[in-house]
Amino acid sequence: MSARQRTSRSPGRVLKVDPRKPDPGAIGRAAELIRAGGVVCYPTRCLYGLGADARNAAAVEKVFALKQRPATMALLVLIHRPEEMAGLAARIPRLARALMDRFWPGRLTIVLEAAEGLPAPLTAGTGKIGIRLAGHPVASALVSAFGGPITGTSANLSGSPGCVEIPGLDPGIRNGVDLVLDAGRLKGGVGSTVVDVTGEKPVVIREGEVPKAEILAVAKEIG
């Protein structure tokens, strides 16, 4: 049976994974499903997320449908190495590099000018892309095994609280994804800080794990 057939016939299966040392077999299975156009629920530092191939427009649209997310709201992506930003961002300002050096992995999502050729649903017509280096061991392993960027949006209905443990996952999402990687209860919280560095000065869109004051301090340091 192909990965695509398994994707369509076996929705919502759950695999328990060690949050620190995830089983390569489970990660490989999840990566295969994403490669086939599926959607996987996986743990990030604070909340569970929905992972799909960020370069596959149909897969990205599945994420929007599962979350009932307005098409005007872009999705951020997770990467495994900073070098992978080259195909996602049109340019990487000096401030972005300074913030990456200071706060990655995890903790901070950096919004940059989007490179050409990305799926339209991913950027929601904004011309921008939010990027974060995966911080959770499971998320990092998944992005690495997949070999490219995956969506990093939270596994919840749009406007609803995020999910910190799989029993609290919305039933529609639970039954709609192709696989769930269950790493137990996560720490919760507001998630990553989101900062837009496309203008002359940084704009903190959402204050999360990194305080706004620390972002502004870095911007001041580099002038």
Side-chain angles (χ1 to χ4, degrees):
M1 183 183 293
S2 70
R4 192 174 301 278
Q5 287 173 320
R6 287 197 298 271
T7 297
S8 61
R9 294 182 184 180
S10 303
R13 292 176 297 176
V14 177
L15 285 179
K16 296 279 188 179
V17 291
D18 188 309
R20 290 170 293 278
K21 294 182 179 180
D23 173 49
I27 295 299
R29 184 175 175 187
E32 183 183 9
L33 287 166
I34 292 176
R35 206 169 286 120
V39 181
V40 171
C41 178
Y42 66 95
T44 66
R45 287 169 61 94
C46 296
L47 302 168
Y48 278 90
L50 295 176
D53 181 353
R55 297 187 183 281
N56 182 331
V60 172
E61 288 173 352
K62 289 181 185 179
V63 174
F64 273 91
L66 281 171
K67 287 177 62 71
Q68 299 176 23
R69 185 179 180 90
T72 54
M73 297 176 66
L75 295 180
L76 67 90
V77 302
L78 294 187
I79 59 175
H80 178 61
R81 299 180 302 167
E83 292 80 5
E84 296 171 6
M85 295 177 70
L88 297 169
R91 66 185 187 90
I92 305 173
R94 183 169 168 239
L95 174 57
R97 295 190 182 280
L99 292 172
M100 290 157 50
D101 290 342
R102 184 73 60 89
F103 301 115
W104 275 7
R107 301 185 65 202
L108 185 69
T109 298
I110 302 176
V111 178
L112 300 151
E113 294 178 14
E116 294 184 2
L118 294 178
L122 189 67
T123 61
T126 63
K128 300 179 181 181
I129 182 75
I131 304 172
R132 186 169 76 244
L133 185 70
H136 192 284
V138 175
S140 181
L142 177 59
V143 181
S144 177
F146 173 63
I150 68 172
T151 56
T153 186
S154 56
N156 61 292
L157 297 180
S158 185
S160 298
C163 174
V164 298
E165 56 184 343
I166 296 307
L169 193 62
D170 178 87
I173 292 178
R174 167 68 176 76
N175 293 323
V177 298
D178 300 291
L179 184 68
V180 175
L181 295 177
D182 185 354
R185 185 175 179 84
L186 305 178
K187 69 177 184 178
V190 292
S192 68
T193 294
V194 181
V195 58
D196 187 327
V197 297
T198 60
E200 293 184 2
K201 296 182 179 180
V203 176
V204 176
I205 299 172
R206 181 184 74 194
E207 188 170 20
E209 288 205 308
V210 179
K212 179 179 180 179
E214 293 188 25
I215 301 292
L216 298 180
V218 173
K220 185 176 180 180
E221 285 176 13
I222 69 168

